[in-house]
Amino acid sequence: MRLLEQFGIILTLTLIVEIIRAVVPLPIPASVYGLILMLVLLKTKIIPLASVKHAGKILLETMPLMFIPAAVGLLNSWTVVKTIVLPLLVVVAISTVTVMVISGRVTQMVIHIDQRRGDAK
Amino acid sequence: MDNLIFHSALFGFIISIAAYEIGMLIKKKFKLAIFNPLLIAIFLIILFLLFFNVRYDEYNRGAKYLSYLLTPATICLAIPLYEQLDYLKKNAKAIIVGISSGVFASMTSILVLSVIFHFNHQEYVTLLPKSITTAIGIGVSEELGGIVTITVAVIIITGVLGNIIAEKVCHTFKIIEPVAKGVAIGSSAHAIGTAKAMEMGKVEAAISSLSIVVAGIITVFAVSIYANFM
């Protein structure tokens, strides 16, 4: 399908979920509604993969660029950040390691339990 | 002349792309995780704006068009997830349980540390989405009334740190199963960490990238509970 049509589909979905977000009183970003909706539409083949794949790839590849403007906003919030920068870094370090270890160990534990059950049968 | 350039809507747009390209070049040359192109780009642009005395809103007049693309791009995360659905099905229980425990660990550790450091509610909710993909994290922080710019910075630093320590942590804590490594990296350090998972192997990479999305979605629901705790 032509690139323009692919972008058209993705942007139409975006518009729909922006409306959903505005109507539903939950703290859920429009992008998450969109992600789930897109997954359902792909799975049910209402939207064939080929009709969004190329445009999707372009958007995903350029995604890091889209974070830049928000991050540069640090310039404006620097006065706030300055006062908590050290605790902030401590929180990042401790919680990142914690999440990595716990999610990895728990996943591995479940796999091993399942394997043992499989062997016992 | 200065005014002509800085007042153009294209200025913020072009400087963002240029800074990112420079970041990519530096990353290619040094191949170290600390030289993350995004981190370099943000740093360069802030220096540039400070040096030429350009206000953020002048920069953002053009740069905001990049931000507009974030929601459609995030929706497209469904495409790789759809393509990896078989991996998810095959290891569904381990992956879902593993990621959920990771999300729980993330929120709980942030809650505890926020209490220790006497953070206020706004600072606390700013940090809550720190381990998930920036795309969803920005939305979460916005919805909870956090300081979005700090959320973004913290998310990126988390990713870079996760990328650097992933191998060491997996080794030290004997996380050996490729699926478990993928879950560990994807749910703690999102896309920037996943770059490391890609070096580790195909299974690690696929599981890590689907963990980003699953962790993001679970987090969206978990934060709505955790946001009330402080």
Side-chain angles (χ1 to χ4, degrees):
Chain A
M1 205 184 271
R2 277 169 50 218
L3 201 52
L4 197 62
E5 291 162 9
Q6 299 198 13
F7 275 113
I9 293 174
I10 294 168
L11 290 177
T12 309
L13 261 178
T14 309
L15 180 65
I16 294 171
V17 297
E18 294 277 8
I19 295 170
I20 294 178
R21 193 208 74 98
V23 176
V24 181
L26 288 174
I28 295 173
S31 54
V32 172
Y33 289 121
L35 211 168
I36 296 169
L37 184 61
M38 175 73 102
L39 188 63
V40 171
L41 293 173
L42 285 171
K43 186 78 188 129
T44 52
K45 308 248 191 292
I46 293 172
I47 292 181
L49 182 59
S51 65
V52 286
K53 191 170 178 174
H54 192 186
K57 193 166 169 247
I58 294 172
L59 281 170
L60 287 177
E61 272 169 7
T62 43
M63 200 155 149
L65 258 177
M66 303 167 195
F67 306 144
I68 295 178
V72 172
L74 272 181
L75 207 56
N76 277 357
S77 44
W78 182 243
T79 42
V80 184
V81 180
K82 208 168 51 183
T83 56
I84 52 168
V85 71
L86 211 62
L88 224 51
L89 291 176
V90 173
V91 176
V92 168
I94 294 179
S95 101
T96 304
V97 176
T98 312
V99 177
M100 200 178 273
V101 172
I102 291 189
S103 57
R105 290 296 304 188
V106 170
T107 308
Q108 189 159 286
M109 200 180 70
V110 177
I111 293 173
H112 286 169
I113 291 172
D114 280 355
Q115 276 172 354
R116 245 173 272 148
R117 260 193 213 147
D119 291 346
K121 264 179 202 166
Chain B
M1 185 64 191
D2 272 12
N3 281 343
L4 203 64
I5 295 173
F6 297 146
H7 281 127
S8 159
L10 281 171
F11 161 71
F13 199 88
I14 293 171
I15 177 185
S16 300
I17 296 176
Y20 189 69
E21 287 295 327
I22 294 172
M24 297 270 267
L25 278 178
I26 295 177
K27 166 82 189 174
K28 229 187 220 158
K29 202 151 166 52
F30 295 101
K31 292 192 169 56
L32 286 169
I34 191 85
F35 292 117
N36 176 269
L38 192 50
L39 216 53
I40 296 170
I42 294 160
F43 188 68
L44 287 178
I45 294 169
I46 290 181
L47 280 186
F48 183 93
L49 298 185
L50 287 175
F51 188 78
F52 289 101
N53 216 354
V54 183
R55 287 200 328 275
Y56 175 69
D57 39 312
E58 275 178 296
Y59 159 78
N60 202 33
R61 191 174 358 205
K64 68 173 184 239
Y65 296 106
L66 286 170
S67 314
Y68 285 159
L69 288 171
L70 193 54
T71 304
T74 310
I75 292 173
C76 292
L77 281 173
I79 298 172
L81 185 59
Y82 171 70
E83 289 173 319
Q84 293 149 5
L85 224 48
D86 282 342
Y87 276 110
L88 182 62
K89 271 188 204 146
K90 230 188 286 169
N91 306 283
K93 197 168 88 187
I95 293 174
I96 301 285
V97 174
I99 295 174
S100 304
S101 69
V103 171
F104 178 74
S106 172
M107 313 260 123
T108 307
S109 61
I110 290 165
L111 176 62
V112 171
L113 291 164
S114 294
V115 172
I116 293 174
F117 288 120
H118 302 292
F119 285 165
N120 59 36
H121 176 76
Q122 192 183 34
E123 287 158 351
Y124 166 62
V125 296
T126 295
L127 284 171
L128 275 182
K130 71 160 261 303
S131 268
I132 59 170
T133 174
T134 321
I136 299 176
I138 287 179
V140 169
S141 183
E142 252 170 23
E143 294 287 343
L144 296 176
I147 308 160
V148 175
T149 57
I150 300 182
T151 303
V152 176
V154 167
I155 290 175
I156 295 168
I157 295 170
T158 299
V160 173
L161 178 71
N163 181 308
I164 297 170
I165 63 171
E167 272 170 322
K168 185 90 192 138
V169 169
C170 286
H171 181 76
T172 311
F173 291 90
K174 299 193 174 57
I175 300 167
I176 304 153
E177 292 285 343
V179 172
K181 281 187 188 168
V183 170
I185 297 170
S187 37
S188 65
H190 54 91
I192 303 177
T194 301
K196 177 57 77 181
M198 284 173 181
E199 291 169 22
M200 291 174 163
K202 228 181 142 187
V203 179
E204 286 91 333
I207 302 284
S208 182
S209 45
L210 83 85
S211 300
I212 299 171
V213 182
V214 179
I217 294 171
I218 296 176
T219 298
V220 168
F221 295 99
V223 287
S224 55
I225 300 167
Y226 268 85
N228 302 317
F229 290 166
M230 198 178 140

